Amino acid sequence: SFSPQSLLQAYAKFSGAPLTVNTINNSWRAPKGDVPVLISEDIVISQPAKILNFLRKQKYNADYELSAKQGADTLAYIALLEEKLLPALLHTFWVEAENYCSVTKPWFASRIPFPLSLYLPGKMSREALNRILLTRGGPPLCSLTEVEAQIYRDAKECLNLLSKRLGTSQFFFGDTPTTLDAFVFGFLAPIYKVCFPRVQLQEHLKQLPNLCRFCDDILTCYFRLTVSGHSPAGQDTADANLQKLTQLVNKESNLIEKMDDNLRKSPQHPPRKLTTLKLAAGGEQSSPLNRLSP
Amino acid sequence: AAEPWPENAALYQQLKEEQILLSDNASSLAVQAFLQMCNLPIRVVCRANAEYMSPSGKVPFIHVGNQVVSELGPIVQFVKAKGHSLSDGLDEVQKAEMKAYMELVNNMLLTAELYLQWCDDVTVEEITHPRYGSPYPWPLNRILSYQKQWEVRRKMKAIGWAGKTLEQVLEDVDQCCQALSQRLGTQPYFFNKQPTELDALVFGHLFTILTTQLTTDELSEKVKNYSNLTAFCRRIEQQYFEGHDKDSSATVAARSAKRSLLR
């Protein structure tokens, strides 16, 4: 998804999988240059979709309690998020000039090693723009400003729809969070928390109190410990918060397709707690030394 | 106040027998079903250059009075502005759900159709290339279809579908059908008693998949696995396409959609 790490962490927490997040700043050393990386015993898995699948196969499944119809609704709402919200998200982070230059690029570049930091942000920015134009940019919208206006309109409408669907419940399907909650959180948290110069989406989100409350609930209930416990030494809390939520900007949305793929292939098992899994938010060489005791 | 719907409203699509492709036929049938459900008469006009006449480059488009509107979404809005709507009886949560399911169909079914007809080499060679440029002389027919193929493949690459295999795409179709089947359950329509634009959209795609002959039957088999979906298609076909005057264009459309689209 757009923010694979926050989505993954959210999913792991919802399903009860004990996950340790290690922040590593060196993308070169990731087994295939991908982040995040899941290391469990000898197995190294490097794409969020496969990580999600792995978690499910290990019987961490947050959707066990859902009915068939709710499972269908999950797929439908995820499609809605991808089609209507994602282009505007990509635009806010990667295409909007002020945002990109003052927030996204410095953060991203500071997290990856030198030669890559010159090239990768620009590449991701170009790919984001490309995707927006190819999927949303046909006639009768002729100029980039018209396309931008349309995608923000669609994103705001999508936020409204999510708000209506959530209503007054704590989560989308009752009292326990599920995959859909993880997806929505993964999309909304960056909009909600990251401080950009141009914030039209954030302002719109702030007018939907139930969605803000949804994000806050998940952040306080599920992320409270990691936010304060894992911030790298020497950085203040606000920095750590921002870092946590902006680690997301390292993958394009094609991960969503892969995640959907694996969502559907997942076996339906009741959630249970198991041995500790180690999620490296960066990469380490896979080695037996990474094995953790159960 | 509702404006009157003119008698000569027309829907444009490509040539039915020789030219139109799976995805375009699905989209066109969806719009026709929607208009039938709203009880708005429309005649179907087939033109080889329908795609180029369309304001958005996509078919179908309708010509009503002096306005031209293309694609189901804008057409639904347009018809609503004229005072006809199928989804007024839904509450806010249901409307949100309806929009989500429509996106699911567009995201999965339509993209899978486009993948199959433009990225699967066998289908491209045997069906798409011959059909797409068929009204035009050589070399224009080949140039146009290669150009279109390049465009579609670019888009597939941008959204991450280019790396998928046919099996994975068919899996996606199956998951989508499963979701639709689960959502439909035993009800006659997705929102119980009355059809909405979602029903029209689902009908357009599923009926086309079921009745189009391709190089293999794998795609239609995926849909046939879900009996409530096939019953749904039959029900809508009977109610909105066969119950009317035999000469009506809608019936002709349904009947010819039934025949094989394989050249």
Side-chain angles (χ1 to χ4, degrees):
Chain A
S1 95
F2 183 67
S3 51
Q5 289 182 348
S6 42
L7 186 154
L8 276 176
Q9 288 171 36
Y11 185 80
K13 293 201 191 277
F14 296 163
S15 61
L19 219 60
T20 318
V21 179
N22 292 328
T23 315
I24 292 167
N25 294 336
N26 197 341
S27 300
W28 280 124
R29 288 218 245 107
K32 288 183 194 145
D34 291 331
V35 293
V37 171
L38 177 69
I39 298 167
S40 164
E41 301 180 317
D42 289 335
I43 309 165
V44 178
I45 306 169
S46 67
Q47 286 172 344
K50 294 181 181 158
I51 294 177
L52 220 60
N53 202 26
F54 180 79
L55 288 176
R56 281 158 177 263
K57 286 194 175 130
Q58 294 288 318
K59 318 233 165 76
Y60 296 109
N61 189 336
D63 290 345
Y64 184 69
E65 304 286 334
L66 292 186
S67 69
K69 178 184 176 299
Q70 289 173 323
D73 282 353
T74 302
L75 270 186
Y77 277 100
I78 290 173
L80 184 69
L81 286 172
E82 276 182 43
E83 287 289 315
K84 297 285 179 189
L85 191 53
L86 182 62
L89 259 188
L90 283 178
H91 186 273
T92 306
F93 272 80
W94 291 100
V95 181
E96 173 66 61
E98 270 187 55
N99 293 348
Y100 173 64
C101 294
S102 59
V103 179
T104 315
K105 190 168 162 190
W107 268 114
F108 194 65
S110 69
R111 291 288 172 274
I112 54 180
F114 167 62
L116 216 53
S117 64
L118 292 181
Y119 164 69
L120 207 53
K123 174 170 178 272
M124 299 191 67
S125 172
R126 278 191 301 276
E127 279 175 5
L129 181 60
N130 195 33
R131 178 176 173 141
I132 292 172
L133 288 179
L134 280 178
T135 52
R136 309 303 296 280
L141 304 171
C142 300
S143 68
L144 186 57
T145 25
E146 285 177 18
V147 177
E148 287 168 7
Q150 179 64 40
I151 61 180
Y152 278 104
R153 258 201 300 272
D154 285 343
K156 287 171 187 169
E157 198 203 326
C158 181
L159 291 175
N160 292 346
L161 290 176
L162 286 173
S163 177
K164 287 188 185 122
R165 174 61 185 77
L166 181 62
T168 48
S169 328
Q170 194 182 7
F171 299 108
F172 278 91
F173 293 117
D175 297 328
T176 45
T178 58
T179 308
L180 180 58
D181 299 285
F183 262 89
V184 175
F185 175 74
F187 276 85
L188 293 187
I191 306 175
Y192 188 41
K193 288 295 182 186
V194 178
C195 299
F196 282 121
R198 297 288 190 89
V199 284
Q200 53 169 315
L201 217 48
Q202 190 180 74
E203 279 160 11
H204 189 88
L205 181 57
K206 288 189 171 150
Q207 291 170 35
L208 299 166
N210 61 347
L211 291 182
C212 299
R213 189 249 318 146
F214 172 79
C215 290
D216 285 329
D217 280 350
I218 295 184
L219 282 170
T220 50
C221 296
Y222 292 93
F223 286 91
R224 172 183 52 220
L225 297 176
T226 52
V227 164
S228 52
H230 282 259
S231 55
Q235 292 188 15
D236 59 32
T237 322
D239 222 20
N241 268 338
L242 190 55
Q243 177 201 352
K244 202 116 227 116
L245 289 158
T246 51
Q247 273 170 2
L248 56 96
V249 288
N250 55 4
K251 279 291 187 208
E252 292 280 324
S253 52
N254 55 1
L255 290 174
I256 291 175
E257 280 83 21
K258 292 182 192 144
M259 271 199 227
D260 284 345
D261 204 36
N262 287 287
L263 229 136
R264 285 167 237 133
K265 289 198 196 120
S266 66
Q268 296 297 311
H269 295 295
R272 66 178 166 100
K273 301 208 181 308
L274 261 194
T275 56
T276 310
L277 301 171
K278 184 168 159 188
L279 173 68
E284 289 169 350
Q285 294 298 339
S286 78
S287 76
L289 294 177
N290 289 330
R291 185 195 296 257
L292 293 175
S293 58
Chain B
E3 287 174 32
W5 186 260
E7 288 289 320
N8 60 349
L11 178 146
Y12 288 82
Q13 64 174 41
Q14 294 105 326
L15 306 177
K16 243 191 295 273
E17 295 298 313
E18 312 91 20
Q19 189 191 19
I20 198 167
L21 294 173
L22 184 63
S23 55
D24 292 332
N25 199 36
S27 306
S28 177
L29 199 56
V31 171
Q32 290 175 49
F34 174 71
L35 292 171
Q36 283 292 325
M37 288 169 183
C38 294
N39 238 330
L40 297 171
I42 195 141
R43 61 191 173 95
V44 178
V45 179
C46 295
R47 290 273 185 276
N49 60 342
E51 224 181 343
Y52 304 106
M53 287 201 276
S54 163
S56 71
K58 299 204 174 81
V59 288
F61 67 91
I62 58 174
H63 180 203
V64 176
N66 58 355
Q67 286 171 296
V68 180
V69 189
S70 64
E71 297 182 76
L72 183 65
I75 291 176
V76 170
Q77 302 282 21
F78 173 76
V79 163
K80 190 165 177 183
K82 288 218 174 266
H84 307 269
S85 170
L86 293 178
S87 51
D88 276 345
L90 301 180
D91 65 40
E92 294 298 334
V93 173
Q94 286 175 314
K95 281 190 186 154
E97 225 178 272
M98 182 184 77
K99 295 217 163 95
Y101 276 94
M102 287 177 80
E103 287 309 327
L104 180 68
V105 172
N106 282 331
N107 200 338
M108 299 252 213
L109 280 186
L110 180 60
T111 316
E113 287 163 6
L114 284 172
Y115 179 93
L116 189 63
Q117 68 197 29
W118 291 107
C119 302
D120 173 52
D121 294 323
V122 175
T123 314
V124 167
E125 265 313 304
E126 290 186 24
I127 300 184
T128 314
H129 276 323
R131 285 185 72 86
Y132 187 74
S134 61
Y136 305 105
W138 187 89
L140 187 59
N141 55 357
R142 293 303 261 184
I143 294 172
L144 287 177
S145 75
Y146 276 118
Q147 189 182 43
K148 178 80 181 181
Q149 182 178 14
W150 180 77
E151 244 177 70
V152 173
R153 286 196 177 182
R154 258 180 86 201
K155 182 178 164 188
M156 290 290 155
K157 192 156 167 246
I159 60 176
W161 278 59
K164 288 195 181 186
T165 62
L166 187 60
E167 285 69 39
Q168 285 172 321
V169 170
L170 289 172
E171 260 306 301
D172 285 346
V173 170
D174 187 51
Q175 292 298 329
C176 181
C177 290
Q178 186 182 41
L180 289 172
S181 173
Q182 282 164 353
R183 176 64 184 79
L184 182 64
T186 49
Q187 300 171 122
Y189 301 109
F190 279 93
F191 290 97
N192 207 7
K193 301 268 183 346
Q194 296 297 326
T196 58
E197 44 265 37
L198 174 61
D199 300 278
L201 183 64
V202 172
F203 170 74
H205 283 275
L206 294 184
F207 188 84
T208 307
I209 291 175
L210 285 170
T211 54
T212 305
Q213 225 177 337
L214 297 168
T215 52
T216 66
D217 280 333
E218 284 173 327
L219 191 60
S220 55
E221 286 305 315
K222 293 288 178 194
V223 179
K224 283 184 191 155
N225 281 335
Y226 300 96
S227 56
N228 62 345
L229 293 182
T230 44
F232 169 80
C233 290
R234 214 168 297 124
R235 191 181 314 126
I236 295 199
E237 188 203 351
Q238 280 166 354
Q239 188 151 8
Y240 293 99
F241 288 94
E242 280 175 17
H244 299 258
D245 196 359
K246 287 257 186 286
D247 293 336
S248 83
S249 52
T251 326
V252 173
R255 260 197 248 122
S256 38
K258 261 206 169 107
R259 291 184 232 137
S260 119
L261 294 191
L262 178 66
R263 198 176 199 190

